[in-house]
Each structure stands twice: as structure tokens, then as C-alpha cells.
Amino acid sequence: MAPNDSAQGTGEAGTSGTSAAGRRKAARYLVPVGVAGVAAATIGLVPALASSGDPSLPKISAQQLIQKMASSDTQQLSGTVKVSSDLGIPSLGGLAGSLGGGALSGGGGSGGKGGSSAAPDSKLMELASGTHTLRVAADGPDKQRVSILDNAAEYSLIHNDRQVWAYDSQSNQVYHSKTGASADARQGRTDKLPATPKDFAEQTLKAVGPTTSVSVDGTEQVAGRDAYQLLIKPKQSGSTIGSVRVAVDSKTGTPLKFTLTPSSGGKAAIDVGFTKVDFGKPAASTFSFTPPKGAKVTEGAAPKAGTHKAPKGMHTAPKDLKSASPEDFKGLNIIGKGWTSVARIDTGSGKGIGAMGSSAQKSGGPVDAQKFLSSLGDRVTGSFGSGTVFHTRLVNALMTDDGKVFVGTVDKGALIKAADAAK
């Protein structure tokens, strides 16, 4: 019989200081949303792999399994990851240039005049929908490689010490940048794509607290390795996240598969998992790169001395939340706790979709754009006034007619309740 043990979630960090409390509130919001919104901006890996039978493993508690993951020191691995994402949004590949930001540019955007089709932000959004196959390799914190294998083309992102190279075989274009050289930059690198189940699992585990139920829900085999299944579920109603399931390698404690299922049911919204994995040291040549002859090379902007700006689009927050200050969340107010937290953002415009449409009508201007945007959402009212709710399978947003935005991994009712409470 597979092990099965429940827990009520781990405790939260210390509660001293207003700014620390604010950071925890922000983390509670950003982590569940980040599971999607790195979801939306950076996702998503693997349809659930066929099980080869449930292995018989020693019984383990949820707390012990979480500790096993936390103490895992896997530095070297290589393998193939299958990625599947179904967020209920259209393909985002064409929006990469406008939404992805300057990933891996050392803070300098996509670099060069006219940019480059090989810049990471040009490919990142493509992972937010559909199914993709990735080949990954890592040798410590300063050497990683991710290759996206789609159709006859291949896109590779290589990080070797301070050098970051990206190559798009379809366009024969190369993107190159350098990361910061400071000690802090080397200890907390952010210049890598979230490409393995571990990247997603770490973000989810940060959300574990009193509002979360955690249990061990059996065992399975992933990529030929025995694994425990860690089941994470919100205790609160109103969240669009139904459950998160993480397959944890029984020997190394490394997450092998990550599956996020929405509360509405149906297929997984995010499914990330290894189809092959090897924990041996990859060959040094794996992380070497020389631009092919005739390839167009675009140089990214060099980082300023002593700084290491996190590339846009790589994470759900501008820096590690543990070291963030209240200024990092200026203009962002968190309403509620845990999985039903909602972020309130004041756009400063004083106008939402409905208000803009009304102004256009009064001035005799065109209202087609307003009508189109309104058709994509549901008009709602409350004590806050009126607005439009836009839906995906995970992240929903309410844009009020006075220019405020409420967003979270919550249903429509929770967004309206949050807007009413903030009035």
C-alpha cells in the first residue's frame, strides 16, 4: 500500500515588523499567481507521464517529505522534460516582444537595434501555451542549458559562468549577454528559464502555511524512478487552484514532476515532468557555445558594475522576496491571505474600460476598441462601482471603471468581494 500521511501545512516565518508582514502578504499572493503567471509568462512543463505501477516505499510524513525536498542538494542533472500548459488563453508566441520584457539581457532589454529573434524574451512566452519538449542540463548554479525542441528547429539557452548565449536555429540568430560579477549576483542568479519541476515546486512550497493542506498521497514512477506524491491543496474556498501535485524522487528528494489542476476541474493547467533524467555530471562541452558561421549576433546591454538586475519575465517579483523592501511593492496592495489573496493595483489613470467607452461616446470618438475589450470579459457591479472581469483557468482580473485592477488566482466572486472591501 502506498504511503499516505496528512499534515496541516508548515508554520509561517516570524511576524516581527510591518515590512516583513507586508512581504509575507505579497509572497502569499505572488506565489500562487506565480505558479500561473510564470505560468503565463514563463511556463510550463509536461503532460502527466504514464505510471509504471505504484512502487512500494517506506512510509513518510508530509513534513518529512518537505524536509527531504528542502535538504536536497542536487547540483548536477540532465534529461528531457515535457511541457504542457493549458491556461485557457490563446497562444502567446506573438506577444513575446511586448510582454516578455528583456529576459537575460542583464537588465538591458533584448539588446541591439531591432532586437533579436534569439533573445530569450522572444521565446519565453511561447512556453505559456501548448506542449513542448525541453532538453535540460545543469552543473551547479553557474552552468545550465535549456533547449526547446519544436518541429525541425531548436532553440538553446546556455548559461556558463557570466556568459549567456541563446541561439535560434530557425532564424540562425544568436543573442549574447553577460550577467553581473558581484558576489551577491553569483549567489542569487536569476538568469535562467524555469524549466524543471523543481523550479515550480519551490515557488509553490513558499505558499505553504495555515491556509494550505499538505499530505503524502501515494507513490508513482516518473522517468523510471520511484517517487512520493506530495499533494498540496488550498483550504480556502474561492481559489481557482484546485491542487498541486509534486512527484518527489525517493532517493535524492528532487522534484520529478509538477502538476497544477484548477478548481474547475478538467485537464491540468500546468504539467511539468521528466521523461528521462540522469543525475550524473554532464559533459563540460554541454555548456560551451560558439556562434555558427554566418549567424547574426546581437549583444545585450552590459550590466552596470556592482549590480545584477533580474531579467524581466524570469520571476514573479523583481527580486527575492526575502530581501525585498516595501518600495518593491509600491502601488501594490494585498487584500486577504493565503490562496485567496488578491492584489490591488492602481493604474493612476482614473479610467477603466467602461469609463473610457463612456468618454469616447460623449466625445464622438470610436468605441470599437472598448466594445471589443468588454466582450472579452463579464461586466460586474458592487459597492465598489462597476467594472469588467477577465478570465483564464487560473488567473482572473477585475478592472474597475475608475482605473483600479484587482488580480489573483481567485474566482469572480472573490474579486468582487476584494474590490468591495477596498472601497
Side-chain angles (χ1 to χ4, degrees), residues 178-262:
K178 292 184 178 180
T179 62
S182 69
D184 289 341
R186 290 188 172 281
Q187 191 168 8
R189 308 202 81 115
T190 58
D191 47 4
K192 69 185 186 74
L193 288 171
T196 68
K198 179 181 179 182
D199 297 325
F200 290 88
E202 286 179 342
Q203 295 300 314
T204 302
L205 288 176
K206 290 178 184 178
V208 172
T211 61
T212 307
S213 171
V214 186
S215 63
V216 178
D217 190 36
T219 65
E220 65 176 320
Q221 276 207 336
V222 178
R225 297 185 66 90
D226 294 347
Y228 293 101
Q229 293 189 56
L230 184 68
L231 181 62
I232 303 169
K233 300 177 70 174
K235 291 182 181 179
Q236 303 156 297
S237 61
S239 173
T240 55
I241 297 177
S243 67
V244 174
R245 192 176 292 270
V246 183
V248 184
D249 188 84
S250 62
K251 292 184 178 180
T252 66
T254 303
L256 299 175
K257 186 169 70 172
F258 173 98
T259 304
L260 187 153
T261 303

Side-chain angles (χ1 to χ4, degrees), residues 7 9 43 133 190 199 207 252 254 287 321 345 371 382 387 398 407 423:
I43 284 191
T133 299
T190 58
D199 297 325
T252 66
T254 303
F287 311 103
L321 289 170
I345 305 168
K371 288 182 178 179
L398 164 61
V407 60
K423 184 65 178 176

Side-chain angles (χ1 to χ4, degrees), residues 4 25 46 118 127 130 205 242 334 336 386 415:
N4 191 327
K25 289 181 179 179
V46 172
L127 296 179
L205 288 176
I334 307 302
S386 59
L415 285 176

Side-chain angles (χ1 to χ4, degrees), residues 134-372:
L134 280 63
R135 189 165 56 234
V136 302
D139 186 6
D142 289 337
K143 292 184 179 181
Q144 297 98 29
R145 181 176 185 132
V146 178
S147 296
I148 304 173
L149 313 176
D150 283 337
N151 301 320
E154 178 176 333
Y155 176 82
S156 294
L157 179 63
I158 304 102
H159 167 215
N160 192 338
D161 195 24
R162 290 189 60 200
Q163 306 296 320
V164 176
W165 292 94
Y167 175 60
D168 180 17
S169 67
Q170 188 171 28
S171 63
N172 198 30
Q173 291 195 31
V174 174
Y175 176 80
H176 174 246
S177 68
K178 292 184 178 180
T179 62
S182 69
D184 289 341
R186 290 188 172 281
Q187 191 168 8
R189 308 202 81 115
T190 58
D191 47 4
K192 69 185 186 74
L193 288 171
T196 68
K198 179 181 179 182
D199 297 325
F200 290 88
E202 286 179 342
Q203 295 300 314
T204 302
L205 288 176
K206 290 178 184 178
V208 172
T211 61
T212 307
S213 171
V214 186
S215 63
V216 178
D217 190 36
T219 65
E220 65 176 320
Q221 276 207 336
V222 178
R225 297 185 66 90
D226 294 347
Y228 293 101
Q229 293 189 56
L230 184 68
L231 181 62
I232 303 169
K233 300 177 70 174
K235 291 182 181 179
Q236 303 156 297
S237 61
S239 173
T240 55
I241 297 177
S243 67
V244 174
R245 192 176 292 270
V246 183
V248 184
D249 188 84
S250 62
K251 292 184 178 180
T252 66
T254 303
L256 299 175
K257 186 169 70 172
F258 173 98
T259 304
L260 187 153
T261 303
S263 57
S264 59
K267 64 186 294 188
I270 304 172
D271 215 353
V272 183
F274 283 99
T275 56
K276 295 180 181 179
V277 64
D278 184 342
F279 291 103
K281 181 182 177 68
S285 59
T286 303
F287 311 103
S288 299
F289 179 79
T290 301
K293 185 177 180 179
K296 176 186 175 182
V297 179
T298 299
E299 291 289 338
K304 296 180 181 179
T307 66
H308 181 69
K309 186 176 180 181
K312 298 177 182 178
M314 290 293 97
H315 294 281
T316 56
K319 59 172 74 174
D320 186 353
L321 289 170
K322 293 181 180 179
S323 60
S325 68
E327 286 298 310
D328 293 312
F329 301 102
K330 190 174 182 179
L332 174 66
N333 297 312
I334 307 302
I335 302 170
K337 296 180 179 180
W339 297 88
T340 56
S341 297
V342 172
R344 171 188 166 180
I345 305 168
D346 193 340
T347 64
S349 67
K351 294 181 179 181
I353 291 176
M356 289 188 288
S358 177
S359 298
Q361 287 178 327
K362 290 179 180 178
S363 63
V367 295
D368 288 348
Q370 181 268 330
K371 288 182 178 179
F372 173 72

